Amino acid sequence: MIAKQEETLEVHSQPESGSILQTQEFSLWYGKQQALDRISLKIPEQNVTAIIGPSGCGKSTFIRSLNRMNDLIPSVRVSGQVLFHNQDIYAGHIDPVEVRRRIGMVFQKPNPFPKSIYENLAFGLRVNGYRSRIRERVEQSLRRAALWDEVKDHLHKKTGLDLSGGQQQRLCIARALAIEPEVLLMDEPCSALDPLATAKIEDLIHQLKQDYSVIIVTHNMQQAARVSDYTAFLYLGKLIEFGKTAQIFENPDKKQTEDYITGKFG
Amino acid sequence: MVRESYRQQLDGLLEFVCGMGQLVVEGLNKGLQAIRDHDRALALSLEPWDDTIDQMALDIEKKCTDLLALQQPVAVDLRLIVSVFKLVTDLERVADLAVNLGEYSLVSEAFVLVPKEQLLQLGKIASEMMNDSLEAIRTRDVARAKQAIARDRVLDQRCWDLRTEVLTQIIRRAGHANTSEQAKKIADNTITVLWSIRDLERVGDHAVNICARTIYWLTSNPEFI
């Protein structure tokens, strides 16, 4: 259980670019257990933001809150706001399915459908109401996910499960991109991949920020340092520090941040 | 434990730097002693000693490279390694200057233009500044580093004053040189003394650099670099 503190957290940071997502005093409980404690954070648009912190600090809970994935857990209760284009995604009239379409997600373990590579993307498109230019959209998404050249000759012959782990993860990224989200949430996307596949995903993340805002949860601090523009450090459900990645890794403001990234705890 | 071993490597690096610094200050003091006592043997011993210092500098660079490649240091640890990379060059340069002082002591009558004591006073300040810079590293003492930096003005002023005094002496003595041999001797003496003053001033500058890197390491403040 996270002990409540009387003082209000004042770890706000205004990124230089505009923010696409903004949490305001956002808290979350699993039943009686508080997992996030009044997090106020502005996620910069068309940048990569990394969320780091020790196991159990609330990283995954936080990122899953940004597209209401936690709604699927019955005991979850939230307070505060998550603003997407200045609209609270937890407001009563908001459709969570639409939220998840516009704020896509890629998970730790690749989870392709046991269908053809083409269908892995086309299925989601049809479910989301796309009727025309399906093939064109599939190709475009596979290209954006840097997978097209590797799969273009067997789109219908191979299933998603026939691909390597790294290719499967890029297929899942392509699937998320196909329905044209604005934000891409990535929860430990490389933790199950070898260094070469990880490097390809990291290159891809770097390219994706030209068109999307990417938020990545990672245990690997060097990965956070390599791929992100901004970094948020969470500890015990609280946002300890948020800032430009270079500043966080070269000269963090808070001692807790420094102790964590230099390996003194965590 | 991997992280414990990492911390031990960082502590070991600092210890090695301080150890090298201590040897450099000892060498500097020997260079000054060689001038004071006109001690030829002591002066000649500095050249092979400098090879040891050069090797230590290379060893420290290797340790830094290994830590960067294998441990991916960040924040204060990264600043420490970056600072050590830079300040080890300052230490190595001070060792070179100590060798220079030894060589100057070999020039006969080099220090007749001004009282030798005045030059040794400059050396004392420079040596103390080096000591303070190393102590600031060892005790992680930002205030001490700043004090050493502030002292550089005093050293610079004293160097300037002594340089002026040397020039006054040249003008006075040059008129009394009856032969070209005497004139050459005065010129040699002048050059040697001026170089000694310049080198001691540079020791102070290197001490300032070391302090500036120490402050950056400890506070991330690059103001003094």
Side-chain angles (χ1 to χ4, degrees):
Chain A
M1 177 94 177
I2 293 167
K4 276 218 162 192
Q5 291 186 344
E6 289 306 311
E7 77 274 18
T8 306
L9 281 176
E10 289 191 1
V11 188
H12 302 268
S13 181
Q14 177 65 59
E16 284 172 5
S17 54
S19 64
I20 189 159
L21 267 171
Q22 182 176 353
T23 63
Q24 288 184 341
E25 297 279 311
F26 187 78
S27 298
L28 183 146
W29 291 261
Y30 294 113
K32 288 183 176 175
Q33 185 163 346
Q34 187 169 10
L36 298 176
D37 189 359
R38 292 168 294 166
I39 292 182
S40 295
L41 177 63
K42 291 176 179 174
I43 303 287
E45 192 168 10
Q46 285 184 281
N47 274 280
V48 179
T49 300
I51 314 288
I52 61 168
S55 296
C57 73
K59 300 185 298 288
S60 291
T61 298
F62 178 70
I63 200 173
R64 291 166 68 91
S65 301
L66 299 179
N67 72 344
R68 293 185 58 171
M69 290 295 282
N70 290 321
D71 286 15
L72 308 172
I73 302 167
S75 63
V76 161
R77 179 169 61 87
V78 301
S79 72
Q81 292 185 314
V82 176
L83 301 175
F84 178 56
H85 291 299
N86 295 317
Q87 197 165 28
D88 184 10
I89 65 169
Y90 284 89
H93 65 283
I94 297 290
D95 174 9
V97 175
E98 177 62 11
V99 168
R100 289 173 206 139
R101 192 192 70 72
R102 296 176 69 182
I103 305 174
M105 192 155 198
V106 175
F107 298 91
Q108 189 168 355
K109 200 173 162 198
N111 53 355
F113 305 137
K115 289 177 172 290
S116 71
I117 292 165
Y118 181 87
E119 270 307 307
N120 261 274
L121 276 73
F123 178 76
L125 284 165
R126 287 195 294 270
V127 165
N128 279 280
Y130 292 89
R131 292 287 172 263
S132 63
R133 296 170 37 235
I134 298 279
R135 189 184 165 80
E136 190 185 323
R137 288 177 199 274
V138 167
E139 180 179 336
Q140 187 185 44
S141 302
L142 287 169
R143 281 186 188 279
R144 280 185 172 165
L147 188 60
W148 174 252
D149 288 341
E150 294 165 50
V151 301
K152 63 185 177 189
D153 296 330
H154 31 255
L155 287 177
H156 299 281
K157 290 179 221 154
K158 282 191 177 178
T159 73
L161 298 175
D162 293 329
L163 301 175
S164 70
Q167 287 173 324
Q168 286 186 17
Q169 192 61 301
R170 278 180 284 149
L171 180 65
C172 293
I173 292 170
R175 192 172 64 189
L177 298 180
I179 52 174
E180 299 175 320
E182 292 171 63
V183 179
L184 195 57
L185 308 175
M186 301 177 123
D187 191 356
E188 298 267 10
C190 301
S191 63
L193 305 181
D194 63 31
L196 189 60
T198 297
K200 284 192 176 175
I201 300 281
E202 289 181 2
D203 285 344
L204 176 58
I205 291 169
H206 192 70
Q207 288 165 20
L208 288 174
K209 73 175 181 181
Q210 290 170 17
D211 299 307
Y212 308 92
S213 305
V214 180
I215 303 166
I216 177 171
V217 161
T218 178
H219 256 112
N220 180 337
M221 279 182 292
Q222 292 312 314
Q223 180 173 66
R226 282 193 299 267
V227 304
S228 70
D229 303 293
Y230 291 84
T231 295
F233 170 52
L234 264 58
Y235 183 56
L236 296 176
K238 293 174 192 289
L239 176 63
I240 304 298
E241 188 165 353
F242 176 70
K244 286 196 165 183
T245 296
Q247 179 254 313
I248 295 283
F249 282 92
E250 287 167 25
N251 177 27
D253 278 341
K254 301 284 165 61
K255 187 167 186 315
Q256 271 178 313
T257 313
E258 180 152 294
D259 286 349
Y260 176 67
I261 63 174
T262 55
K264 291 189 181 115
F265 76 90
Chain B
M1 297 242 293
V2 174
R3 295 318 280 182
E4 200 171 307
S5 149
Y6 167 51
R7 298 241 72 82
Q8 283 171 359
Q9 286 177 59
L10 287 175
D11 291 344
L13 176 69
L14 263 183
E15 212 171 292
F16 203 87
V17 168
C18 290
M20 176 185 171
Q22 196 58 47
L23 285 178
V24 168
V25 173
E26 283 172 21
L28 176 65
N29 290 338
K30 281 180 184 171
L32 291 165
Q33 197 183 328
I35 289 175
R36 188 190 67 199
D37 302 338
H38 196 58
D39 186 336
R40 186 176 176 78
L42 188 60
L44 292 174
S45 73
L46 285 169
E47 205 153 315
W49 162 83
D50 188 39
D51 293 340
T52 311
I53 297 296
D54 289 348
Q55 187 54 52
M56 287 181 96
L58 290 174
D59 290 346
I60 288 173
E61 284 185 13
K62 174 78 169 67
K63 284 177 194 288
C64 289
T65 307
D66 287 350
L67 279 163
L68 286 170
L70 304 177
Q71 301 288 357
Q72 291 98 39
V74 292
V76 66
D77 298 344
L78 177 63
R79 296 199 303 271
L80 166 65
I81 292 168
V82 169
S83 299
V84 168
F85 243 126
K86 298 289 286 185
L87 69 82
V88 75
T89 307
D90 287 296
L91 288 175
E92 190 266 326
R93 289 294 299 139
V94 172
D96 292 343
L97 296 172
V99 174
N100 287 356
L101 291 173
E103 286 173 359
Y104 303 148
S105 78
L106 300 175
V107 180
S108 180
E109 296 182 59
F111 300 98
V112 295
L113 283 173
V114 288
K116 203 185 267 184
E117 202 47 48
Q118 287 188 33
L119 188 73
L120 294 172
Q121 270 299 318
L122 298 185
K124 184 167 178 284
I125 296 172
S127 176
E128 285 170 359
M129 284 176 68
M130 281 298 297
N131 254 331
D132 283 343
S133 70
L134 294 169
E135 202 54 21
I137 294 174
R138 200 181 64 76
T139 57
R140 294 165 164 79
D141 188 341
V142 173
R144 191 157 188 174
K146 285 183 178 172
Q147 282 165 13
I149 289 174
R151 214 171 166 201
D152 193 41
R153 281 190 182 176
V154 176
L155 180 61
D156 285 352
Q157 186 58 52
R158 294 255 192 123
C159 286
W160 182 256
D161 292 346
L162 194 56
R163 196 180 289 122
T164 309
E165 173 70 15
V166 170
L167 294 176
T168 308
Q169 288 297 325
I170 297 165
I171 294 162
R172 194 170 65 78
R173 290 179 183 227
H176 295 94
N178 296 322
T179 64
S180 61
E181 184 64 28
Q182 283 175 326
K184 184 178 176 299
K185 198 182 243 181
I186 290 170
D188 281 347
N189 287 349
T190 305
I191 290 167
T192 306
V193 176
L194 288 179
W195 280 356
S196 302
I197 295 168
R198 180 203 61 188
D199 285 1
L200 289 172
E201 188 183 343
R202 284 189 180 169
V203 169
D205 293 341
H206 288 299
V208 167
N209 290 348
I210 292 168
C211 290
R213 294 288 165 188
T214 304
I215 292 169
Y216 172 70
W217 156 44
L218 295 170
T219 66
S220 84
N221 177 4
E223 183 187 345
F224 299 98
I225 295 176

